[in-house]
Amino acid sequence: MLVFPGTNSEEETVRLLRAYAGEAELVHWSRARTLPAYDAYVIAGGFAYEDRIRAGAIAARDAMMEPVIDGAVRGKLVLGICNGAQILLEAGLVPGGSNGRPTAAFTRNAPNGHFICKQVSVKLAVDPQRSAITSSLAPGAVMPAWAAHAEGRLAARAADLAALVDGEHVAFVYARPDGVVDDGATPNGSALRCAGLVNREGNVLAVMPHPERIYPQHSPLFESFVRAVNAP
Amino acid sequence: MIDVALHADERQRIASALGREPTRVELYAFDAQWSEHCSYKSSRAQLRRLPVSGEDVVVGPGEDAGVLRLGEHDGEFYCVVVAHESHNHPSQVVPFEGAATGVGGIVRDVLCMGAQVVGIADALRFGDVSDPAGHPRHVARAVVDGISAYGNAIGVPNLAGDVHFHRGFDENCLVNVVALGIVKENEIVHSRAPAGSSGWPLLLVGKATDHSGFGGAAFSSLTLDGASEVGNRGAVQVPDPFLKSVLMRACYRVFALLRERGAVFACKDLGAGGIMGCSAEICAAGGYGASIDLDRVNVAQEGLPAEVIAVGETQERMLFVVAPEMLDDVLAVFNDEFSLPQIAYNARAVVIGAVTQEKRYVLVHRGERVMDVDIEVLTTPPEVPPPRYDPIAPATKTTPGDREALPQVTEALYRRYDSVVRGCTVLPRGYGDAGVVAPIPGSHLGVAIAVAGDPEIGSHDPRLAAEYAVLEAVRSVAAVGACPVGLTDCLNFGNPTKPEHYAQFVAAVDGLVRGAGKLNLPFVSGNVSLYNEGARGEAVPPSAIVACVGVLEDVRRVVTPGLKAAGALLVAIDDITELQRMMADDRVAACAVACSEGLVPAVARMAFASAREGRALGAELHDAAPDDGFVAFVVEIAAGEHHAGRVVGRVVAEPVVRSRDRREATADLYAAWSERLTELYA
């Protein structure tokens, strides 16, 4: 698990990974050179480099991300939550296929850019087998999570949004607790009601709301991720 | 002309103690250290009346934060650390930065006790916000922006708080903040140089010192008036929550490292009085002196005057006293592992001086001794005798007055605060009358926190308001199923040299003594903020703001306010012991504090919570339910269950609130009561 200057969700994230028998370690920015040795990467929530310019924009170009990008290209699993999701978008890892240029952003919430802290539900919007990370989830699984961000609204040009839909990149959408998907359940005006994006190959997943903040801690998504990492 | 807040007689006293006129640096140092803010010189005599001891108290008032016993987990004994402060004047003048640095300061007070910071709370008092172009409205918005920006960035959940609006705060808002931490009982760090530490290095850690926050302590000990506002902006500190986030984590690592090595050390945050205030207090508390070379301080710009380096209140700094053999490893954590110099310009850990056997406080700047005073004189300011005043007679009324304002739903405000970071939040802000965290991973032990203080009551009767603040904070904690264990207070009043303002302060202390005495609870930490008055010399409504800390043996038994089952009874309970007995027997399905608000708002909040918990239930109050509304708690219990209260209504299977003369859909009530805060904050 990568820790950038400003990451603030590292403890609860690593705790939950370990609860599902993940052998997880926090790798601090000053130990970035050890990153290539790991099998999979998690980028946790918080902030990175003060989120100057756009959330995740600086971190995406940090030396910390080189082994992650390199690993992702070679098929290692990568999960980003909240700021981690923003960083994955800024690094062009999701939706991918753009030579590292971002084609979408998680940007200022609608209507007025305020930070929002609210419990939401997210629904799996692709076939669970679309991504190794979601492969143990039930089809259409609905899970509680906490939206806690000021920049979580997916925005992209119309053509790029269409490509997200066509490529089945919208892995999670905001929903009501009973699974009904509508705008009322979307806390930030996100395009396509998108709460999470996956890359074409299915090994990189970016999720805006925090499943790890539900108390007591439990997350089918984290469980599925750890299972995929541990799979032979 | 040096602009200081010291009185003429205080300057004389300093000169006679020194046997000479103070140097420029000394004068600023005494100005900070002998300020009302640092010394409580006008309030100490009254504060001695507060109850401060009890079986759960590990550290009472006097250090940066109080410490209360929490419980045992895995053979270790854990404590809750709590601190409570105001940042009123800075927030009135530069609201975003003022409120943000208020959070920053209170977090450091808890951190320096060796604790992990696990929660914050805020109590906000704003003026009339109805004028779209008015300053009170700007203050009300920017304060929340500041708290949100800072608290969210450092990753500490905001668990509790309240907000009140009153014209009396138009020219002087109140921003009170509380922080909670967790520490093992045998790992508490004290802010005093340890025994045998003579010659040990004084290690300054954090942001490079700049010219911000110069004169902050003295500034908060003067009244605000329009003419000086511009000049005083320089006295407000500049927040850097991103550096703080890294600094906190680096401190956690250093605490762990020093504990592993079995090393003794001390730690204190830099607040009022900057390097001078912090180093003088930490060394004096251990019975030592200090010698500091200001040229070794990491600065953000060259050419800062000695007094600015010495007493300026640049944020995000801590001071450590560590054994010489630990120094290299501690420096490596801050400067290499957490790479502070790469996080913010010239941020770092650096040795600036040493603890000395001789009880002098010495500052050297460019080879010159710019300060050399008896450290005891510096750190023990004389008390100020109170003015002659007429005590305020106890009010004959024993219940709060009728209120015309609508109850408030504060969702639009608290949605702006991260309430769940750390993944330990059991009851987030707004989900119950108190916030609850389970701060020890793997343990079900919980900590509850609530704040209270009603300016409307305060403006009529400061004594009753203070007593109610205690009762309401305690009841809020009890309502979620926690056992109240300790209190903190922040006393926000006017000018102590004015007899009528001083009398309000004394009456409020009476009320605190009475409220805490009734419940047998100690005050373990607190703060006094005086000189809260506007240009016309009118004090803010007397505002004793109280926080209560509660302990839950098992957070799985937390009680929420949400109505649970149609047909259940709603019962008014006045006695906290009776409530606790009912909770112990699992007879309470839901609970809310009614207190000064009254019965209808209380049951409405229970219905709102029910909707949030996914049940469309409502409440019907009996015709005979008292409409003066004075009951302590409303609880839901199953019909037929034994209770010692008065039945006031029942739970109904539709989302409405029905009372004698009205019937309203809960959604409509929610919208109506949300209106003011939605318009301000959403």
Side-chain angles (χ1 to χ4, degrees):
Chain A
M1 225 203 73
L2 283 72
V3 180
F4 289 96
T7 299
N8 66 19
S9 308
E10 68 272 32
E11 294 295 337
E12 60 269 36
T13 307
V14 83
R15 199 161 63 226
L16 190 55
L17 292 168
R18 287 174 184 158
Y20 293 116
E23 284 178 52
E25 284 177 22
L26 295 176
V27 179
H28 213 260
W29 62 91
S30 59
R31 287 179 50 223
R33 66 188 173 283
T34 67
L35 279 169
Y38 293 89
D39 299 327
Y41 303 101
V42 177
I43 311 177
F47 298 78
Y49 297 106
E50 303 180 17
D51 283 343
R52 288 182 292 250
I53 305 175
R54 285 188 308 275
I58 306 284
R61 288 150 185 83
D62 189 75
M64 287 271 274
M65 283 301 289
E66 285 167 19
V68 176
I69 293 167
D70 187 52
V73 169
R74 291 188 291 113
K76 288 185 183 178
L77 302 186
V78 182
L79 173 64
I81 306 289
C82 200
N83 191 232
Q86 295 163 333
I87 293 168
L88 292 179
L89 250 75
E90 287 292 336
L93 285 178
V94 284
S98 57
N99 288 324
R101 281 183 301 103
T103 59
F106 285 126
T107 186
R108 283 274 160 199
N109 294 344
N112 46 21
H114 289 322
F115 184 95
I116 183 164
C117 180
K118 188 178 187 185
Q119 191 174 337
V120 296
S121 296
V122 297
K123 183 176 185 176
L124 183 63
V126 292
D127 185 299
Q129 304 311 317
R130 167 80 179 73
S131 162
I133 299 171
T134 58
S135 58
S136 302
L137 296 179
V142 179
M143 295 169 289
W146 278 88
H149 55 246
E151 298 174 59
R153 175 175 59 90
L154 181 74
R157 292 175 303 186
D160 290 318
L161 284 178
L164 291 178
V165 175
D166 294 345
E168 293 182 48
H169 291 291
V170 182
F172 288 99
V173 292
Y174 292 101
R176 297 185 181 278
D178 61 6
V180 173
V181 178
D182 66 19
D183 287 339
T186 306
N188 52 17
S190 191
L192 310 172
R193 299 166 184 144
C194 174
L197 286 171
V198 64
N199 67 343
R200 190 186 58 188
E201 294 76 14
N203 63 321
V204 183
L205 179 66
V207 181
M208 265 322 289
H210 297 266
E212 77 283 5
R213 293 189 181 179
I214 296 295
Y215 186 89
Q217 276 195 309
H218 64 98
S219 165
L221 176 62
F222 273 58
E223 187 174 18
S224 180
F225 171 75
V226 172
R227 192 173 292 180
V229 173
N230 288 343
Chain B
M1 177 63 197
I2 296 177
D3 185 16
V4 294
L6 286 170
H7 303 149
D9 60 322
E10 290 170 330
R11 292 180 69 153
Q12 267 174 12
R13 193 191 279 257
I14 293 163
S16 80
L18 298 181
R20 58 176 166 79
E21 282 302 310
T23 65
R24 186 183 171 83
V25 175
E26 285 166 351
L27 189 58
Y28 278 114
F30 277 98
D31 188 40
Q33 207 58 33
W34 285 21
S35 68
E36 192 66 57
H37 183 76
C38 289
S39 72
Y40 301 95
K41 59 190 174 187
S42 303
S43 58
R44 258 187 284 164
Q46 291 295 324
L47 298 179
R48 285 189 201 105
R49 295 162 54 205
L50 295 175
V52 296
S53 54
E55 55 183 305
D56 294 320
V57 179
V58 180
V59 178
E63 294 204 41
D64 295 77
V67 183
L68 289 156
R69 277 195 188 87
L70 169 58
E72 187 183 348
H73 171 65
D74 234 0
E76 305 267 15
F77 293 91
Y78 286 84
C79 296
V80 189
V81 182
V82 60
H84 187 166
E85 270 210 358
S86 62
H87 228 214
N88 303 336
H89 286 179
S91 301
Q92 180 68 22
V93 177
V94 192
F96 181 96
E97 289 79 1
T101 53
V103 176
I106 203 68
V107 161
R108 286 195 305 276
D109 282 332
V110 165
L111 174 66
C112 76
M113 302 299 288
Q116 291 244 348
V117 189
V118 300
I120 54 173
D122 57 342
L124 309 176
R125 307 290 178 263
F126 299 128
D128 176 359
V129 295
S130 57
D131 175 3
H135 190 62
R137 185 180 173 87
H138 168 62
V139 169
R141 286 189 152 161
V143 160
V144 168
D145 288 344
I147 293 172
S148 160
Y150 199 100
N152 297 351
I154 60 173
V156 174
N158 188 309
L159 300 172
D162 64 0
V163 58
H164 289 272
F165 301 88
H166 188 291
R167 276 193 177 282
F169 300 114
D170 277 2
E171 295 180 349
N172 195 128
C173 69
L174 302 183
V175 173
N176 281 197
V177 283
V178 178
L180 285 179
I182 289 294
V183 68
K184 289 179 191 165
E185 189 165 345
N186 59 4
E187 294 185 344
I188 295 168
V189 176
H190 295 282
S191 13
R192 58 172 175 262
S197 64
S198 175
W200 287 17
L202 292 168
L203 186 66
L204 178 68
V205 185
K207 193 172 178 184
T209 297
D210 55 31
H211 59 75
S212 66
F214 179 57
F219 164 53
S220 55
S221 309
L222 293 166
T223 57
L224 284 174
D225 62 65
S228 64
E229 273 192 26
V230 174
N232 280 334
R233 280 195 188 140
V236 179
Q237 304 88 348
V238 179
D240 186 345
F242 300 102
L243 173 59
K244 172 60 101 359
S245 173
V246 174
L247 179 62
M248 274 170 61
R249 284 161 172 78
C251 286
Y252 296 154
R253 183 69 62 90
V254 166
F255 294 153
L257 173 81
L258 292 168
R259 285 163 183 156
E260 271 166 35
R261 308 275 178 88
V264 186
F265 65 103
C267 174
K268 190 173 172 68
D269 77 300
L270 275 78
I275 291 172
M276 181 283 306
C278 177
S279 58
E281 286 178 15
I282 202 170
C283 292
Y288 292 102
S291 175
I292 287 171
D293 184 350
L294 293 176
D295 295 310
R296 298 176 77 171
V297 173
N298 53 317
V299 290
Q301 59 203 97
E302 290 307 315
L304 288 177
E307 63 270 21
V308 172
I309 304 175
V311 306
E313 297 173 11
T314 297
Q315 293 291 287
E316 333 304 0
R317 298 182 300 171
M318 306 287 284
L319 188 79
F320 281 74
V321 181
V322 294
E325 62 270 23
M326 292 295 147
L327 185 60
D328 286 347
D329 289 343
V330 172
L331 284 170
V333 171
F334 286 120
N335 294 338
D336 302 328
E337 186 179 349
F338 283 82
S339 64
L340 291 181
Q342 290 167 40
I343 305 299
Y345 176 74
N346 208 19
R348 63 183 65 246
V350 62
V351 175
I352 58 167
V355 179
T356 60
Q357 195 69 46
E358 199 190 0
K359 293 186 182 181
R360 304 287 300 172
Y361 188 80
V362 178
L363 291 178
V364 175
H365 184 240
R366 293 179 187 147
E368 194 188 328
R369 204 168 265 240
V370 292
M371 178 163 184
D372 186 348
V373 303
D374 183 323
I375 199 168
E376 303 256 334
V377 172
L378 177 65
T379 55
T380 35
E383 290 190 29
V384 173
R388 296 173 71 85
Y389 67 97
D390 296 324
I392 297 173
T396 47
K397 260 173 86 177
T398 54
T399 58
D402 300 331
R403 43 195 50 245
E404 286 160 31
L406 286 178
Q408 279 185 145
V409 170
T410 60
E411 178 173 348
L413 188 159
Y414 67 73
R415 290 280 181 232
R416 305 279 299 278
Y417 299 151
D418 193 333
S419 194
V420 291
V421 60
R422 294 180 56 82
C424 296
T425 305
V426 179
L427 269 190
R429 179 133 180 207
Y431 278 53
D433 288 329
V436 177
V437 280
I440 308 164
S443 163
H444 296 297
L445 282 171
V447 180
I449 178 82
V451 300
D454 189 331
E456 195 67 48
I457 307 176
S459 59
H460 298 302
D461 187 341
R463 185 181 282 104
L464 187 67
E467 185 182 342
Y468 267 82
V470 174
L471 296 182
E472 184 148 357
V474 169
R475 286 170 178 162
S476 299
V477 156
V480 299
C483 177
V485 292
L487 304 166
T488 64
D489 62 309
C490 186
L491 304 176
N492 308 269
F493 288 83
N495 183 337
T497 65
K498 292 183 180 174
E500 67 278 19
H501 294 183
Y502 190 78
Q504 292 174 342
F505 170 69
V506 174
V509 175
D510 288 348
L512 295 181
V513 170
R514 212 176 126 85
K518 270 185 189 167
L519 298 155
N520 198 21
L521 285 170
F523 286 92
V524 294
S525 188
N527 174 236
V528 179
S529 170
L530 300 174
Y531 300 97
N532 290 294
E533 55 178 3
R536 288 183 300 277
E538 274 177 43
V540 294
S543 297
I545 296 177
V546 174
C548 180
V549 174
V551 167
L552 288 98
E553 293 297 326
D554 186 342
V555 293
R556 290 170 296 185
R557 294 171 57 84
V558 74
V559 177
T560 72
L563 299 170
K564 302 294 187 302
L569 300 181
L570 294 171
V571 177
I573 303 287
D574 286 328
D575 178 32
I576 197 166
T577 317
E578 172 60 19
L579 177 78
Q580 287 174 328
R581 207 166 15 238
M582 293 172 72
M583 284 179 167
D585 297 347
D586 274 331
R587 278 181 281 151
V588 177
C591 179
V593 174
C595 271
S596 55
E597 247 191 352
L599 215 46
V600 170
V603 297
R605 281 189 293 114
M606 296 173 86
F608 299 158
S610 181
R612 187 171 44 229
E613 292 166 16
R615 289 179 299 274
L617 298 175
E620 180 181 71
L621 289 172
H622 290 336
D623 286 352
D627 54 6
D628 72 337
F630 193 69
V631 294
F633 304 99
V634 181
V635 302
E636 176 189 337
I637 62 171
E641 195 72 83
H642 164 75
H643 65 87
R646 285 171 293 147
V647 176
V648 293
R650 64 187 182 95
V651 182
V652 295
E654 55 175 334
V656 295
V657 175
R658 275 202 296 262
S659 59
R660 194 174 345 196
D661 48 358
R662 50 197 244 189
R663 177 188 188 284
E664 289 179 270
T666 50
D668 294 344
L669 277 180
Y670 198 87
W673 296 355
S674 296
E675 208 167 291
R676 171 149 63 176
L677 268 71
T678 300
E679 188 268 329
L680 263 180
Y681 295 116

